[in-house]
Amino acid sequence: MFIREYTSSDCKQLAELFYQTVHVVNAKDYTNKQLDVWATGYVDLKEWNKLFLEHNTLVAIKNSIIVGFGDIDKSGYLDRLYVHKDYQGQGITTAICNKLEQSVKACKIVTHASITAKPFFEKRGYRVIKEQQVIREGIALSNYVMEKSNMKQNGPVLLPYE
């Protein structure tokens, strides 16, 4: 497996991977109605491509197949992080996340984690700031605002001498 930067030609495959991952991997924690409003099968590819190009977006490749992707913006907001349903548990999510976290200089990294992803982020040192309900088409989806200090990028915090 190797990780490379996103290119615009990846966008349609990432949208398909997103849909399949949500509908299979997250099915244990969300109802079918919730999954359907989360991943409708339609994304605005132009908008996704624009955001992917603005963010640091990485794509994981294994056996010439896109098996995962993630993106983070300059402020440290980790937006998307998805791994193909058939490639779960192989360290791909960790590898992508490591590179994304290391790529920003922000003091903290923030994400909105699904119920399914929450344990992954907790193991990485993220803490829950709050649980929230996102409403899509009148259906509530629970997720967690989580954050992690990004000390590796910025070094220790130096307090003024008193």
Side-chain angles (χ1 to χ4, degrees):
M1 187 228 9
F2 69 96
I3 297 173
R4 64 165 171 77
E5 290 186 12
Y6 167 82
T7 62
S8 294
S9 62
D10 297 328
C11 197
K12 186 175 181 191
Q13 286 180 295
L14 300 191
E16 291 168 3
L17 186 152
F18 163 75
Y19 178 85
Q20 290 296 323
T21 301
V22 167
H23 280 267
V24 175
V25 175
N26 298 92
K28 66 180 181 172
D29 297 309
Y30 295 90
T31 67
N32 286 334
K33 285 184 179 183
Q34 289 173 316
L35 298 172
D36 288 342
V37 296
W38 178 0
T40 63
Y42 172 79
V43 297
D44 183 337
L45 293 176
K46 286 183 182 179
E47 183 62 24
W48 267 36
N49 183 57
K50 178 180 175 262
L51 290 171
F52 285 150
L53 292 171
E54 289 172 0
H55 296 175
N56 178 24
T57 303
L58 300 176
V59 176
I61 309 289
K62 188 170 186 177
N63 302 324
S64 302
I65 299 168
I66 293 177
V67 295
F69 72 96
D71 67 304
I72 193 167
D73 71 14
K74 290 178 183 171
S75 75
Y77 177 62
L78 179 59
D79 193 353
R80 286 162 284 235
L81 183 60
Y82 292 93
V83 170
H84 190 285
K85 62 184 178 62
D86 296 335
Y87 292 86
Q88 298 284 310
Q90 297 181 24
I92 297 167
T93 312
T94 297
I96 295 169
C97 199
N98 286 344
K99 288 186 177 286
L100 291 173
E101 289 175 356
Q102 292 166 5
S103 74
V104 294
K105 297 193 186 310
C107 293
K108 63 183 167 184
I109 298 170
V110 176
T111 194
H112 294 182
S114 68
I115 296 167
T116 313
K118 181 179 173 247
F120 169 81
F121 285 108
E122 287 176 326
K123 286 178 188 169
R124 295 185 63 80
Y126 286 75
R127 64 184 180 89
V128 173
I129 302 304
K130 68 176 181 175
E131 182 176 356
Q132 64 183 4
Q133 300 292 312
V134 177
I135 308 298
R136 292 201 177 153
E137 298 180 27
I139 296 174
L141 294 154
S142 294
N143 72 14
Y144 301 90
V145 177
M146 300 181 78
E147 73 177 24
K148 172 184 175 176
S149 174
N150 195 21
M151 297 300 287
K152 290 180 185 175
Q153 276 297 318
N154 298 298
V157 174
L158 300 176
L159 300 174
Y161 180 75
E162 294 185 25

